[in-house]
Amino acid sequence: MKELNKEMQDSRLKSVLEETDVHYLQRYQNNEKHGISCNTLEGLALTWLQGRYGMIKKSTYSGYYYCMKMHILPYFGTMSLTELNGEAVLAFMENIQQKGLANSTVRSVLVVFKSIMKYGVQTNLIRREILVYCTVSCRRTESRALMIQETLEMKEYLLEKDTIFSLAILLCRGTGIRIGELCGLKWEDIDFTSNTISIRRTISRIPNPDPLEGQPRTVLYIRTPKSHTSMREIPIPQYLVQPLQNKRKEKSQYILTGNEMCTEPRNVQKKFKTILRHCNMEDCNFHAMRHGFATACLEKGIDCKTVSSILGHASTRTTMDFYLHTSMRQKKDCIDAVD
């Protein structure tokens, strides 16, 4: 039985990728920017992608690869770079926008495609005029914001449950941290002297970047947050300090699992949906709590710089553009203010 448990644990560890894994980076080498021998769009795209190794996070690389594999390369096939012209580029962009994809996916594909085209210009493999046709115009869908006042019943329910998971959901509600950041929290990240949490890692599931025989197609990716501003220290809501202290375990253990193996965002998302149904709340994505937290802070007059710092944004513009949802009350106040 011990041997079986050890085998299962080893198998599970294979499906977890740490950002510090060196074999991933050593397997590939960057090409020289000049003197690249590729005469098809496929060759150009793959060479551009290979050059990203070691320069971007694995999750970002995985996203680039997905856009290429699923949308860009199937369309162009092995088209020669000499055949690539403005008409072909416009036809591709129109095709992507008419496929019924999510706006975020369309934008990601077009951004990757434009980067490949820029790389082709830099390496003198395609004409500069091509860039004129590479526009990235896509309307961003406004996400649902789960407002703080909407979650009061959920707050009471979760406090009554008094499990570490329920407290963790309330921590997200009161701080706006991302679901991947919650999955990455360990007890060592909570300072009960200053009553703060430190965001040091985030967890996501990505396609396996090094798929050897017998390895899983996807892996859990444990990495540092997406930018230096995402690594931050946040005060714990006062009403959660004592309940969290009562649940405290070993420093090296993940908060959500109570051991040294992490869980992943999709598991948290499923449990969150169950909570919404139990509280008779409208279905929404976990990220809606982050939107609601940011909007509530800005509505209460908290300066944008402070809110941006708590959310871990690199710019206050990001906070204003994507997390400020104008409420009907604000619209009414605006209308009533005009005689």
Side-chain angles (χ1 to χ4, degrees):
M1 181 61 72
K2 287 184 178 179
E3 291 181 0
L4 180 61
N5 290 338
K6 177 67 165 54
E7 193 174 311
M8 290 175 64
Q9 186 177 27
D10 289 343
S11 175
R12 190 178 179 193
L13 286 172
K14 287 180 182 178
S15 66
V16 178
L17 178 67
E18 296 277 359
E19 189 172 38
T20 53
D21 288 350
V22 294
H23 75 278
Y24 172 84
L25 298 178
Q26 289 175 342
R27 187 177 175 192
Y28 300 90
Q29 298 294 329
N30 289 340
N31 285 328
E32 292 294 330
K33 284 192 175 182
H34 300 283
I36 299 172
S37 57
C38 56
N39 55 15
T40 65
L41 193 142
E42 180 181 30
L44 175 66
L46 292 174
T47 304
W48 168 81
L49 183 63
Q50 185 176 331
R52 302 304 94 193
Y53 274 102
M55 299 172 62
I56 58 178
K57 292 182 179 294
K58 299 180 187 72
S59 54
T60 304
Y61 168 84
S62 178
Y64 289 171
Y65 178 71
Y66 179 85
C67 289
M68 283 176 46
K69 180 181 178 182
M70 301 302 295
H71 302 291
I72 298 175
L73 298 186
Y75 181 87
F76 287 102
T78 56
M79 175 185 283
S80 169
L81 293 181
T82 58
E83 300 177 64
L84 187 65
N85 54 33
E87 185 178 344
V89 171
L90 288 175
F92 165 71
M93 300 181 82
E94 182 178 354
N95 174 267
I96 289 297
Q97 292 177 326
Q98 291 181 350
K99 289 176 70 173
L101 302 171
N103 288 328
S104 58
T105 302
V106 172
R107 181 176 179 82
S108 295
V109 172
L110 296 182
V111 166
V112 169
F113 180 73
K114 185 172 183 177
S115 296
I116 295 170
M117 294 298 99
K118 283 184 177 180
Y119 181 70
V121 170
Q122 292 168 0
T123 52
N124 298 316
L125 292 170
I126 63 175
R127 301 186 307 277
R128 180 171 294 277
E129 302 84 65
I130 291 291
L131 294 181
V132 174
Y133 301 92
C134 299
T135 57
V136 182
S137 57
C138 180
R139 181 180 62 85
R140 292 179 182 268
T141 304
E142 186 173 289
S143 300
R144 161 119 155 85
L146 187 58
M147 301 302 293
I148 297 294
Q149 56 266 31
E150 293 181 72
T151 62
L152 294 179
E153 182 179 339
M154 183 177 76
K155 177 183 176 182
E156 293 180 10
Y157 167 73
L158 293 175
L159 284 175
E160 185 177 340
K161 293 283 287 184
D162 193 32
T163 64
I164 189 57
F165 183 81
S166 66
L167 296 178
I169 296 298
L170 289 174
L171 188 63
C172 291
R173 173 186 178 271
T175 62
I177 64 174
R178 302 175 177 93
I179 189 171
E181 295 170 341
L182 173 63
C183 292
L185 274 182
K186 294 185 177 183
W187 285 105
E188 66 186 12
D189 301 323
I190 299 185
D191 185 342
F192 285 110
T193 302
S194 61
N195 292 333
T196 57
I197 56 172
S198 295
I199 305 300
R200 297 171 178 166
R201 70 191 66 78
T202 185
I203 294 172
S204 57
R205 179 165 288 278
I206 64 172
N208 193 341
D210 194 18
L212 302 176
E213 186 176 352
Q215 292 289 313
R217 295 177 60 185
T218 62
V219 292
L220 277 185
Y221 179 30
I222 304 173
R223 60 176 174 84
T224 53
K226 59 195 299 185
S227 66
H228 71 279
T229 53
S230 292
M231 298 187 70
R232 60 204 188 278
E233 193 174 273
I234 308 172
I236 301 172
Q238 191 58 44
Y239 73 93
L240 288 177
V241 173
Q242 191 58 53
L244 284 171
Q245 278 187 318
N246 296 340
K247 304 291 183 184
R248 181 164 43 175
K249 292 193 174 184
E250 295 296 324
K251 288 187 175 182
S252 61
Q253 296 180 340
Y254 284 95
I255 289 175
L256 286 180
T257 62
N259 56 54
E260 296 186 9
M261 286 299 296
C262 61
T263 188
E264 61 179 291
R266 64 182 178 184
N267 291 336
V268 176
Q269 185 77 264
K270 288 178 183 177
K271 291 182 179 180
F272 176 67
K273 298 279 189 177
T274 301
I275 292 172
L276 291 177
R277 288 194 294 270
H278 182 88
C279 296
N280 297 315
M281 297 176 64
E282 182 182 344
D283 184 60
C284 66
N285 190 282
F286 192 93
H287 203 73
M289 282 200 298
R290 180 172 167 84
H291 282 258
F293 170 80
T295 303
C297 288
L298 294 169
E299 277 191 358
K300 289 181 178 296
I302 300 173
D303 67 279
C304 189
K305 180 65 177 176
T306 299
V307 178
S308 182
S309 176
I310 293 173
L311 295 175
H313 290 157
S315 166
T316 55
R317 180 176 178 178
T318 302
T319 309
M320 295 299 292
D321 286 350
F322 303 115
Y323 292 88
L324 179 58
H325 294 253
T326 306
S327 67
M328 185 56 67
R329 180 185 58 78
Q330 289 175 299
K331 293 176 182 178
K332 185 176 185 303
D333 290 344
C334 177
I335 294 298
D336 291 342
V338 180
D339 291 331

